[in-house]
Short mmCIF file of all heavy atoms in Angstrom, two decimals:
data_model
loop_
_atom_site.label_atom_id
_atom_site.label_comp_id
_atom_site.label_asym_id
_atom_site.label_seq_id
_atom_site.Cartn_x
_atom_site.Cartn_y
_atom_site.Cartn_z
N LYS A 94 4.02 -0.25 68.12
CA LYS A 94 3.21 -0.13 69.34
C LYS A 94 2.08 -1.15 69.37
O LYS A 94 1.73 -1.68 70.42
CB LYS A 94 2.64 1.30 69.43
CG LYS A 94 1.80 1.57 70.68
CD LYS A 94 1.25 2.98 70.68
CE LYS A 94 0.09 3.10 69.73
NZ LYS A 94 -0.62 4.41 69.81
N ASN A 95 1.53 -1.42 68.20
CA ASN A 95 0.38 -2.33 68.11
C ASN A 95 0.77 -3.75 67.72
O ASN A 95 -0.09 -4.55 67.34
CB ASN A 95 -0.64 -1.75 67.12
CG ASN A 95 -1.27 -0.47 67.63
OD1 ASN A 95 -1.95 -0.46 68.64
ND2 ASN A 95 -1.01 0.64 66.94
N ASN A 96 2.06 -4.05 67.84
CA ASN A 96 2.58 -5.41 67.61
C ASN A 96 2.11 -6.00 66.27
O ASN A 96 1.65 -7.14 66.21
CB ASN A 96 2.15 -6.34 68.76
CG ASN A 96 2.68 -5.87 70.09
OD1 ASN A 96 3.87 -5.59 70.23
ND2 ASN A 96 1.81 -5.75 71.07
N ALA A 97 2.23 -5.20 65.22
CA ALA A 97 1.72 -5.62 63.91
C ALA A 97 2.80 -6.18 62.99
O ALA A 97 2.46 -6.66 61.90
CB ALA A 97 1.02 -4.44 63.23
N LEU A 98 4.06 -6.13 63.38
CA LEU A 98 5.13 -6.51 62.46
C LEU A 98 4.98 -7.93 61.95
O LEU A 98 5.03 -8.18 60.74
CB LEU A 98 6.50 -6.33 63.13
CG LEU A 98 7.71 -6.84 62.33
CD1 LEU A 98 7.76 -6.26 60.93
CD2 LEU A 98 9.00 -6.57 63.08
N ASP A 99 4.80 -8.89 62.84
CA ASP A 99 4.70 -10.30 62.42
C ASP A 99 3.48 -10.52 61.52
O ASP A 99 3.53 -11.34 60.59
CB ASP A 99 4.63 -11.23 63.63
CG ASP A 99 5.97 -11.35 64.35
OD1 ASP A 99 7.00 -11.00 63.74
OD2 ASP A 99 5.97 -11.78 65.51
N ILE A 100 2.41 -9.79 61.77
CA ILE A 100 1.21 -9.91 60.95
C ILE A 100 1.48 -9.38 59.55
O ILE A 100 1.10 -10.01 58.55
CB ILE A 100 0.03 -9.17 61.62
CG1 ILE A 100 -0.42 -9.96 62.86
CG2 ILE A 100 -1.12 -8.95 60.66
CD1 ILE A 100 -1.22 -9.20 63.84
N LEU A 101 2.18 -8.25 59.46
CA LEU A 101 2.49 -7.70 58.14
C LEU A 101 3.46 -8.60 57.39
O LEU A 101 3.37 -8.75 56.17
CB LEU A 101 3.07 -6.29 58.29
CG LEU A 101 2.14 -5.25 58.91
CD1 LEU A 101 2.76 -3.87 58.86
CD2 LEU A 101 0.79 -5.25 58.22
N ARG A 102 4.37 -9.22 58.13
CA ARG A 102 5.30 -10.17 57.50
C ARG A 102 4.52 -11.34 56.89
O ARG A 102 4.82 -11.78 55.78
CB ARG A 102 6.29 -10.67 58.56
CG ARG A 102 7.72 -10.67 58.06
CD ARG A 102 8.67 -11.16 59.14
NE ARG A 102 9.60 -10.12 59.50
CZ ARG A 102 9.89 -9.75 60.72
NH1 ARG A 102 9.31 -10.34 61.75
NH2 ARG A 102 10.76 -8.80 60.94
N PHE A 103 3.55 -11.83 57.63
CA PHE A 103 2.72 -12.94 57.14
C PHE A 103 1.94 -12.51 55.90
O PHE A 103 1.85 -13.26 54.91
CB PHE A 103 1.77 -13.41 58.24
CG PHE A 103 0.83 -14.50 57.81
CD1 PHE A 103 1.23 -15.83 57.88
CD2 PHE A 103 -0.43 -14.20 57.32
CE1 PHE A 103 0.37 -16.85 57.46
CE2 PHE A 103 -1.29 -15.20 56.90
CZ PHE A 103 -0.88 -16.54 56.98
N LEU A 104 1.36 -11.33 55.95
CA LEU A 104 0.57 -10.84 54.82
C LEU A 104 1.42 -10.71 53.56
O LEU A 104 1.00 -11.08 52.46
CB LEU A 104 -0.06 -9.48 55.16
CG LEU A 104 -1.17 -9.49 56.22
CD1 LEU A 104 -1.51 -8.08 56.64
CD2 LEU A 104 -2.40 -10.22 55.72
N ALA A 105 2.65 -10.19 53.72
CA ALA A 105 3.54 -10.02 52.57
C ALA A 105 3.98 -11.36 52.01
O ALA A 105 4.20 -11.51 50.80
CB ALA A 105 4.75 -9.19 52.97
N ASP A 106 4.06 -12.36 52.88
CA ASP A 106 4.56 -13.68 52.48
C ASP A 106 3.44 -14.57 51.92
O ASP A 106 3.63 -15.27 50.92
CB ASP A 106 5.21 -14.35 53.69
CG ASP A 106 5.90 -15.65 53.30
OD1 ASP A 106 6.56 -15.70 52.25
OD2 ASP A 106 5.77 -16.63 54.06
N LYS A 107 2.28 -14.53 52.56
CA LYS A 107 1.22 -15.47 52.22
C LYS A 107 0.02 -14.85 51.52
O LYS A 107 -0.76 -15.55 50.87
CB LYS A 107 0.72 -16.17 53.49
CG LYS A 107 1.80 -16.90 54.28
CD LYS A 107 2.38 -18.05 53.50
CE LYS A 107 3.38 -18.84 54.35
NZ LYS A 107 4.08 -19.87 53.56
N LYS A 108 -0.15 -13.56 51.66
CA LYS A 108 -1.30 -12.88 51.03
C LYS A 108 -0.78 -11.75 50.14
O LYS A 108 0.24 -11.91 49.49
CB LYS A 108 -2.28 -12.40 52.10
CG LYS A 108 -2.90 -13.56 52.90
CD LYS A 108 -4.10 -13.12 53.72
CE LYS A 108 -4.74 -14.29 54.44
NZ LYS A 108 -5.99 -13.90 55.12
N ILE A 109 -1.46 -10.61 50.12
CA ILE A 109 -1.01 -9.49 49.30
C ILE A 109 -1.01 -8.24 50.17
O ILE A 109 -2.04 -7.84 50.71
CB ILE A 109 -1.91 -9.29 48.07
CG1 ILE A 109 -1.84 -10.53 47.16
CG2 ILE A 109 -1.49 -8.04 47.30
CD1 ILE A 109 -2.80 -10.49 46.00
N LEU A 110 0.16 -7.62 50.28
CA LEU A 110 0.34 -6.40 51.07
C LEU A 110 0.81 -5.29 50.15
O LEU A 110 1.81 -5.46 49.44
CB LEU A 110 1.34 -6.65 52.20
CG LEU A 110 1.66 -5.46 53.11
CD1 LEU A 110 0.41 -5.01 53.88
CD2 LEU A 110 2.77 -5.84 54.10
N ILE A 111 0.08 -4.19 50.16
CA ILE A 111 0.41 -3.04 49.32
C ILE A 111 0.74 -1.85 50.22
O ILE A 111 0.00 -1.56 51.15
CB ILE A 111 -0.78 -2.68 48.40
CG1 ILE A 111 -1.18 -3.87 47.52
CG2 ILE A 111 -0.47 -1.45 47.54
CD1 ILE A 111 -2.52 -3.71 46.83
N GLY A 112 1.83 -1.19 49.94
CA GLY A 112 2.19 0.01 50.70
C GLY A 112 2.64 1.11 49.77
O GLY A 112 3.45 0.88 48.88
N TRP A 113 2.09 2.29 49.97
CA TRP A 113 2.54 3.39 49.10
C TRP A 113 2.97 4.61 49.91
O TRP A 113 2.59 4.80 51.05
CB TRP A 113 1.51 3.74 48.05
CG TRP A 113 0.09 4.07 48.44
CD1 TRP A 113 -0.96 3.21 48.53
CD2 TRP A 113 -0.44 5.37 48.70
NE1 TRP A 113 -2.10 3.89 48.84
CE2 TRP A 113 -1.82 5.22 48.94
CE3 TRP A 113 0.12 6.65 48.75
CZ2 TRP A 113 -2.65 6.29 49.23
CZ3 TRP A 113 -0.70 7.73 49.05
CH2 TRP A 113 -2.07 7.53 49.29
N SER A 114 3.87 5.37 49.28
CA SER A 114 4.44 6.58 49.87
C SER A 114 5.06 6.26 51.23
O SER A 114 6.01 5.52 51.32
CB SER A 114 3.37 7.68 49.95
OG SER A 114 3.95 8.94 50.18
N ALA A 115 4.48 6.77 52.32
CA ALA A 115 5.04 6.53 53.66
C ALA A 115 5.22 5.05 53.95
O ALA A 115 6.25 4.62 54.48
CB ALA A 115 4.14 7.16 54.72
N ALA A 116 4.22 4.25 53.59
CA ALA A 116 4.28 2.81 53.87
C ALA A 116 5.38 2.13 53.07
O ALA A 116 6.01 1.17 53.55
CB ALA A 116 2.94 2.16 53.58
N ALA A 117 5.65 2.61 51.86
CA ALA A 117 6.71 2.03 51.04
C ALA A 117 8.06 2.21 51.73
O ALA A 117 8.93 1.33 51.67
CB ALA A 117 6.73 2.66 49.65
N PHE A 118 8.24 3.33 52.40
CA PHE A 118 9.47 3.53 53.19
C PHE A 118 9.49 2.61 54.40
O PHE A 118 10.50 1.98 54.71
CB PHE A 118 9.57 4.99 53.66
CG PHE A 118 9.96 5.98 52.60
CD1 PHE A 118 9.09 6.99 52.22
CD2 PHE A 118 11.20 5.90 51.98
CE1 PHE A 118 9.44 7.91 51.24
CE2 PHE A 118 11.56 6.81 51.01
CZ PHE A 118 10.68 7.82 50.63
N VAL A 119 8.37 2.53 55.10
CA VAL A 119 8.30 1.74 56.34
C VAL A 119 8.54 0.26 56.08
O VAL A 119 9.17 -0.43 56.88
CB VAL A 119 6.95 1.98 57.05
CG1 VAL A 119 6.76 1.00 58.21
CG2 VAL A 119 6.85 3.41 57.55
N PHE A 120 8.06 -0.24 54.95
CA PHE A 120 8.21 -1.65 54.64
C PHE A 120 9.64 -2.00 54.21
O PHE A 120 9.98 -3.18 54.11
CB PHE A 120 7.24 -2.07 53.53
CG PHE A 120 5.78 -2.01 53.93
CD1 PHE A 120 4.78 -2.13 52.98
CD2 PHE A 120 5.40 -1.85 55.26
CE1 PHE A 120 3.44 -2.10 53.34
CE2 PHE A 120 4.07 -1.79 55.64
CZ PHE A 120 3.08 -1.92 54.66
N SER A 121 10.46 -1.00 53.96
CA SER A 121 11.85 -1.21 53.53
C SER A 121 12.76 -1.30 54.77
O SER A 121 12.28 -1.23 55.91
CB SER A 121 12.29 -0.06 52.63
OG SER A 121 12.62 1.09 53.39
N PRO A 122 14.07 -1.44 54.59
CA PRO A 122 14.94 -1.62 55.76
C PRO A 122 15.13 -0.39 56.64
O PRO A 122 15.50 -0.52 57.81
CB PRO A 122 16.29 -2.02 55.13
CG PRO A 122 15.96 -2.56 53.79
CD PRO A 122 14.77 -1.76 53.34
N THR A 123 14.89 0.82 56.12
CA THR A 123 15.22 2.00 56.92
C THR A 123 14.44 3.22 56.45
O THR A 123 14.02 3.30 55.28
CB THR A 123 16.72 2.30 56.85
OG1 THR A 123 17.02 3.51 57.57
CG2 THR A 123 17.20 2.47 55.40
N LEU A 124 14.27 4.18 57.37
CA LEU A 124 13.65 5.47 57.03
C LEU A 124 14.69 6.55 56.80
O LEU A 124 14.35 7.73 56.69
CB LEU A 124 12.70 5.91 58.16
CG LEU A 124 11.51 5.02 58.51
CD1 LEU A 124 10.58 5.75 59.47
CD2 LEU A 124 10.75 4.61 57.27
N GLU A 125 15.94 6.17 56.71
CA GLU A 125 17.01 7.17 56.61
C GLU A 125 16.87 8.05 55.37
O GLU A 125 17.16 9.25 55.42
CB GLU A 125 18.38 6.49 56.63
CG GLU A 125 18.79 6.04 58.03
CD GLU A 125 20.23 5.55 58.05
OE1 GLU A 125 21.09 6.19 57.40
OE2 GLU A 125 20.50 4.54 58.69
N LEU A 126 16.43 7.47 54.26
CA LEU A 126 16.32 8.27 53.04
C LEU A 126 15.25 9.34 53.19
O LEU A 126 15.50 10.52 52.91
CB LEU A 126 16.02 7.37 51.84
CG LEU A 126 15.88 8.10 50.49
CD1 LEU A 126 17.13 8.91 50.16
CD2 LEU A 126 15.58 7.10 49.38
N VAL A 127 14.05 8.98 53.63
CA VAL A 127 12.99 9.98 53.80
C VAL A 127 13.38 10.97 54.90
O VAL A 127 13.05 12.15 54.82
CB VAL A 127 11.62 9.31 54.09
CG1 VAL A 127 11.59 8.62 55.43
CG2 VAL A 127 10.50 10.34 54.00
N ASN A 128 14.14 10.54 55.89
CA ASN A 128 14.60 11.44 56.94
C ASN A 128 15.55 12.50 56.40
O ASN A 128 15.59 13.62 56.91
CB ASN A 128 15.28 10.64 58.05
CG ASN A 128 15.57 11.47 59.28
OD1 ASN A 128 14.67 12.03 59.90
ND2 ASN A 128 16.85 11.58 59.64
N SER A 129 16.30 12.15 55.35
CA SER A 129 17.22 13.13 54.77
C SER A 129 16.47 14.24 54.04
O SER A 129 16.98 15.34 53.87
CB SER A 129 18.20 12.44 53.80
OG SER A 129 17.53 12.03 52.61
N TYR A 130 15.23 13.98 53.63
CA TYR A 130 14.41 14.99 52.96
C TYR A 130 13.50 15.74 53.93
O TYR A 130 13.34 16.95 53.82
CB TYR A 130 13.54 14.34 51.89
CG TYR A 130 14.29 13.75 50.73
CD1 TYR A 130 14.26 12.38 50.49
CD2 TYR A 130 15.02 14.55 49.87
CE1 TYR A 130 14.94 11.83 49.42
CE2 TYR A 130 15.72 14.02 48.80
CZ TYR A 130 15.68 12.65 48.58
OH TYR A 130 16.35 12.11 47.52
N SER A 131 12.88 15.02 54.85
CA SER A 131 11.83 15.61 55.69
C SER A 131 11.99 15.23 57.16
O SER A 131 11.11 14.60 57.76
CB SER A 131 10.45 15.17 55.19
OG SER A 131 10.25 15.52 53.85
N PRO A 132 13.11 15.61 57.79
CA PRO A 132 13.30 15.24 59.20
C PRO A 132 12.25 15.85 60.12
O PRO A 132 11.99 15.32 61.20
CB PRO A 132 14.70 15.79 59.52
CG PRO A 132 14.94 16.87 58.51
CD PRO A 132 14.22 16.42 57.27
N GLU A 133 11.62 16.94 59.68
CA GLU A 133 10.60 17.59 60.51
C GLU A 133 9.37 16.71 60.71
O GLU A 133 8.58 16.93 61.64
CB GLU A 133 10.18 18.93 59.89
CG GLU A 133 9.31 18.86 58.66
CD GLU A 133 10.08 18.52 57.38
OE1 GLU A 133 11.34 18.44 57.42
OE2 GLU A 133 9.42 18.33 56.33
N MET A 134 9.19 15.69 59.86
CA MET A 134 8.05 14.78 60.02
C MET A 134 8.20 13.88 61.24
O MET A 134 7.23 13.32 61.73
CB MET A 134 7.88 13.92 58.76
CG MET A 134 7.49 14.69 57.52
SD MET A 134 7.26 13.61 56.07
CE MET A 134 5.62 12.96 56.42
N ASN A 135 9.42 13.77 61.73
CA ASN A 135 9.68 12.90 62.88
C ASN A 135 9.35 13.63 64.18
O ASN A 135 10.20 13.85 65.04
CB ASN A 135 11.13 12.44 62.87
CG ASN A 135 11.45 11.41 63.93
OD1 ASN A 135 10.55 10.89 64.60
ND2 ASN A 135 12.72 11.11 64.12
N PHE A 136 8.08 14.02 64.32
CA PHE A 136 7.68 14.79 65.51
C PHE A 136 7.68 13.93 66.77
O PHE A 136 7.66 14.44 67.88
CB PHE A 136 6.30 15.42 65.29
CG PHE A 136 5.17 14.45 65.20
CD1 PHE A 136 4.47 14.07 66.33
CD2 PHE A 136 4.79 13.91 63.98
CE1 PHE A 136 3.42 13.17 66.27
CE2 PHE A 136 3.73 13.01 63.90
CZ PHE A 136 3.05 12.64 65.04
#
Side-chain angles (χ1 to χ4, degrees):
K94 181 181 76 172
N95 293 297
N96 300 310
L98 173 54
D99 287 343
I100 289 161
L101 297 187
R102 225 180 243 132
F103 177 86
L104 291 169
D106 187 42
K107 303 295 185 187
K108 296 194 177 186
I109 297 174
L110 179 63
I111 302 167
W113 54 268
S114 195
F118 285 117
V119 171
F120 294 169
S121 79
T123 177
L124 299 190
E125 284 188 41
L126 180 57
V127 67
N128 189 60
S129 71
Y130 294 116
S131 303
E133 73 282 354
M134 294 181 79
N135 187 9
F136 68 91

